[in-house]
Structures are given as structure tokens and as C-alpha cells.
Amino acid sequence: MKSFRLTEEEMEYLADRYPTPFMVVSLDRVEKNYRYLCEKLPRVKVFYAIKANSEPAILQRMAALGSNFDVASIGEIRLLASLGVPGSRMIYANPVKPAWDIAEAAKLGVDRFTFDDESEIEKMAAAAPGAQVLVRVQVENDSAVINLNEKFGVVPDKALSLLHKAKEAGLVPAGICFHVGSQSLKSEAYGRALTLCRRLFDEAEQQGMKLTVLDIGGGLPIPEAGQPEPDLDAMTEEIRRHLDRLFPEVEIWSEPGRYMCGTAVNLVTRVIGTKERNGQPWYVLDDGMYGSYNGLVFDHWTYKLEFFQHGVKVPSVFVGPSCDSIDVVARDYPAPVLQVGSLVLSPEMGAYSSSAATGFNGFQPAKTIVYEDNIGVAENISAMAR
Ligand SMILES: Cc1ncc(COP(=O)(O)O)c(C=O)c1O
């Protein structure tokens, strides 16, 4: 799996022109990720989960590629609508939705919704009569970094009765969805979930309800600091085989988020202060846990830090700029000696980073710039070298 990575020259060139911290997204990398998935899972219709990164340039590229979109809120729907994406290309895949938001979504053309409890049916039926609904089932996965099955998904044995009730209320029971959990490191969980869904599809048919759609959610992993590289070729191959065996005639949807944009973004941050504490070097960065590195808290994430200085590496502490002691990005991280002004690069920052960054203490979240819009970078750099 290839990740986008700035060279030292490119990073320095950009850092001379944009204030740090900033994110650099490669839209070509996003496109390659999308095309890879379409090639590996040819029967699967992609609904990009924009919660992972809703940078308009990414959404525009995905829209131009023909992707559909998974949205979690009316704010995400409005954002896509403002970019010209019709509601018919979205699935409102938050199992519990405010009634007003369902109504506005329906007005904007959204007619696919997920749910996992009876209490949601009346709201959807009143605000979006005749909409297609998918029931979300709880599945098991102990190899996902982020568990999405404690809060979400009805126990499988109650799933079909929910679909029957949705039908009685005037909705169209289209199918079943699940999410194996985010950053799912093995494909076995998909196999188990698909086997479970096959049983539910068969039972539904026996009960006179023909389901037509299976939504396999998100979960595909990206590289993380200190973890083995995920084998996406093997994972997608196994998922494809299960789908062809168990669901040869069913329409398949997916909601990848992290996979689509995670490897396409680099963060460039700068050392703004140095200290020695208990004999150890401490570096204060201009981005931290309340900003781009918020996944330390919200995403169970561990970040890579890359340096371009040479010299012996010693265990060092990296902290963010806020006046809070919890704002620690990494401890005992091997690093060469850095100075105020040194640049630090974090790759694979595209997912659940910008989208959850806060402005705590008045530090504004890092802005995203598009690599290809600055493609002059490479030309300028080679011109400078000549
Ligand atoms: C309903 C739903 N779909 C898709 C996703 C995207 O998952 P991932 O980023 O693991 O691909 C999420 C993540 O929280 C989700 O809640």
C-alpha cells in the first residue's frame, strides 16, 4: 500500500510559502485509492464516508470520479449539496437521526437511510415516506482498533422484525448493513459478518421479504506507527471471494472512510520551543493533541513523526502548543537533535484528523493545501537546483 509522502525539498518549499502547521493532500493519491478499491471489489458501489475527511477538494475529486457518499449528519449533507452533489448519491448512514434533519435530507433528495432500533422507524416514515432503509446489525470483531458495535447495530435476531415494522410504516426494507469496526486489521470479521447476513437474507426471503442490498460498511485499514503493514491485497481478495460466493446477485454497497483518504495527506508542523526535562529533550510543536493529533484521544491512534536532520537519535518527547499538560504527541520517540524552526512531517494524516481538530486555546486547526495545485513545487525545486 503506497502512501503519499512529501520530499524534504517539497516540504521546505511549501513551508516557505504557507504558515505551519499545514496539511498537504494529494488528490491523485485519493484517486488511486478509489480506483484500487473499484478494481479489487468490482461489484461494490462506493459511498465515501466523508466523516473521515470532508475537505472540499477531496469531495470534489471523489464526486468527479463517480463516487457516492456516506453522510452522518445534515451538516455533511449540506456540504455535499453546496458542491453540487445530489442527495440521490448519498446514504444517511447514522442509525439515529434528528427528525428535522431527516426531513431536510429528504427535501435534498436523500432517500437511503440506516437504522438499528424501532424508535427510529416513525421518524423516518413521517419525514421520508417511501425511503429505502437498511437495518444495521451488530457484528463481532476483536481485531478492529475502533469498536463500532457496542453503540451501534441491533442484535441479529431482531433485525428482520425491524425491517417488517419499517415496511408496515411505509418504508422500503432494502437490506442489511454492518460495520466491522474501524481500522480492522484482519478480514475474518468480514467473513463472519457476511455469513451472518446471508442467513438473515435467507430468513427474510422465507418470510416473504426479498432484500436487495447489502452494505458492508467501512473498516479497511491504513499503516499506523508501530503496527505491521496491513495487507490490503489479501483482505480485499478474501472479501471479494466471500461476496461472490454468498451474495452473487445482491447489490453491494460499502462506506470506506479511513482507507480512502488516510494515506493521501501529510502534516507539516514545526518545532516552536525546546526544553530539557529530566535529562530528556522535549520539543514543543505548533500542532498537538487538540489539533491534528487529536486521534490520540478520539481515534485510538499513534502517529509517525519524520525528521530530515541527521545525527544520533535519542528518545525525545513531543508536545503540542496548548497550555495543557495532557497535550503530549509522543513520548520516548527516537529523534535527532532538533532546533526551534525544525520541520517535522507526519505522513498518513488524512483520516479522522482535520475532521476532529479543535481550536482549543485559540490555535486554529491546520489548513489543508492541495499538492497538485502546488505541483509547480517540483518544477520550481528543480529550477532552483539548476
Ligand atoms: C456508519 C459508518 N460508515 C462508515 C464509516 C467509515 O469507517 P472507516 O473509516 O473505518 O472506513 C464509519 C466510521 O465511523 C461509520 O460510522
Side-chain angles (χ1 to χ4, degrees):
M1 178 179 210
K2 277 232 170 73
S3 298
F4 163 67
R5 200 177 250 83
L6 290 167
T7 64
E8 180 179 6
E9 291 74 22
E10 289 170 338
M11 178 183 72
E12 279 172 359
Y13 175 87
L14 292 171
D16 281 347
R17 280 151 188 82
Y18 297 94
T20 56
F22 57 83
M23 298 274 197
V24 186
V25 59
S26 166
L27 297 179
D28 290 350
R29 183 70 253 166
V30 173
E31 176 165 344
K32 282 183 191 143
N33 291 347
Y34 175 78
R35 290 192 186 284
Y36 172 90
L37 208 57
C38 295
E39 186 197 315
K40 291 289 179 180
L41 298 173
R43 289 181 44 224
V44 177
K45 195 163 164 177
V46 172
F47 290 75
Y48 168 50
I50 79 168
K51 58 178 75 69
N53 193 326
S54 55
E55 177 61 34
I58 296 177
L59 302 182
Q60 279 161 332
R61 177 66 70 99
M62 292 294 292
L65 287 166
S67 179
N68 301 283
F69 298 91
D70 158 1
V71 291
S73 69
I74 196 65
E76 291 187 347
I77 295 170
R78 288 184 194 138
L79 172 61
L80 284 167
S82 75
L83 299 173
V85 178
S88 56
R89 284 173 70 179
M90 303 178 205
I91 178 168
Y92 195 165
N94 189 335
V96 178
K97 301 162 279 297
W100 281 106
D101 295 357
I102 301 172
E104 187 179 336
K107 277 202 196 95
L108 288 169
V110 180
D111 71 344
R112 303 174 174 116
F113 300 87
T114 69
F115 72 115
D116 64 2
D117 193 88
E118 195 173 341
S119 60
E120 191 72 1
I121 295 175
E122 204 181 308
K123 281 189 286 170
M124 294 190 296
Q132 293 187 62
V133 293
L134 278 70
V135 68
R136 175 141 165 203
V137 292
Q138 189 177 40
V139 295
E140 281 170 24
N141 186 3
D142 55 13
S143 66
V145 174
I146 292 104
N147 178 349
L148 292 175
N149 287 286
E150 185 193 1
K151 181 176 171 189
F152 303 106
V154 64
V155 290
D157 289 350
K158 299 215 168 115
L160 297 185
S161 78
L162 287 185
L163 285 174
H164 282 297
K165 284 179 182 149
K167 190 174 178 193
E168 282 157 24
L171 297 161
V172 177
I176 297 176
C177 61
F178 63 82
H179 196 306
V180 292
S182 200
Q183 186 73 1
S184 180
L185 298 168
K186 295 186 189 148
S187 49
E188 283 82 350
Y190 287 95
R192 281 196 301 271
L194 293 171
T195 305
L196 165 71
C197 289
R198 181 68 259 170
R199 174 171 72 74
L200 293 174
F201 266 65
D202 291 342
E203 284 174 21
E205 192 155 8
Q206 284 153 20
Q207 295 168 13
M209 185 166 53
K210 180 105 180 114
L211 302 178
T212 55
V213 180
L214 174 70
D215 180 343
I216 63 172
L220 290 178
I222 63 167
E224 183 185 0
Q227 301 297 328
E229 182 93 354
D231 186 348
L232 270 185
D233 279 350
M235 281 185 85
T236 48
E237 177 57 22
E238 207 173 316
I239 294 168
R240 189 192 59 74
R241 269 195 286 112
H242 283 305
L243 288 174
D244 287 350
R245 183 173 57 85
L246 294 167
F247 293 95
E249 279 150 20
V250 170
E251 187 170 337
I252 314 286
W253 301 348
S254 68
E255 302 166 358
R258 186 185 304 281
Y259 159 79
M260 203 57 76
C261 51
T263 54
V265 178
N266 289 181
L267 169 71
V268 178
T269 176
R270 194 186 286 280
V271 175
I272 55 166
T274 64
K275 309 180 180 193
E276 193 186 298
R277 299 180 74 75
N278 297 325
Q280 210 177 13
W282 279 50
Y283 297 108
V284 184
L285 301 174
D286 57 11
D287 206 340
M289 197 199 77
Y290 287 97
S292 305
Y293 296 109
N294 64 79
L296 288 160
V297 178
F298 299 138
D299 201 28
H300 308 272
W301 206 252
T302 308
Y303 293 96
K304 296 179 188 171
L305 304 174
E306 293 185 0
F307 318 99
F308 294 88
Q309 283 78 359
H310 300 290
V312 180
K313 291 187 172 172
V314 296
S316 307
V317 179
F318 289 83
V319 298
S322 75
C323 290
D324 188 353
S325 285
I326 199 182
D327 190 359
V328 177
V329 174
R331 289 185 192 275
D332 295 327
Y333 202 99
V337 174
L338 304 175
Q339 285 84 32
V340 170
S342 298
L343 296 172
V344 176
L345 185 145
S346 286
E348 290 134 8
M349 291 292 287
Y352 305 110
S353 177
S354 303
S355 54
T358 78
F360 181 57
N361 272 199
F363 292 103
Q364 287 314 299
K367 291 210 166 57
T368 298
I369 61 172
V370 175
Y371 177 75
E372 288 79 13
D373 289 350
N374 289 273
I375 196 69
V377 170
E379 286 152 21
N380 288 333
I381 287 170
S382 43
M384 281 185 303
R386 264 184 253 127

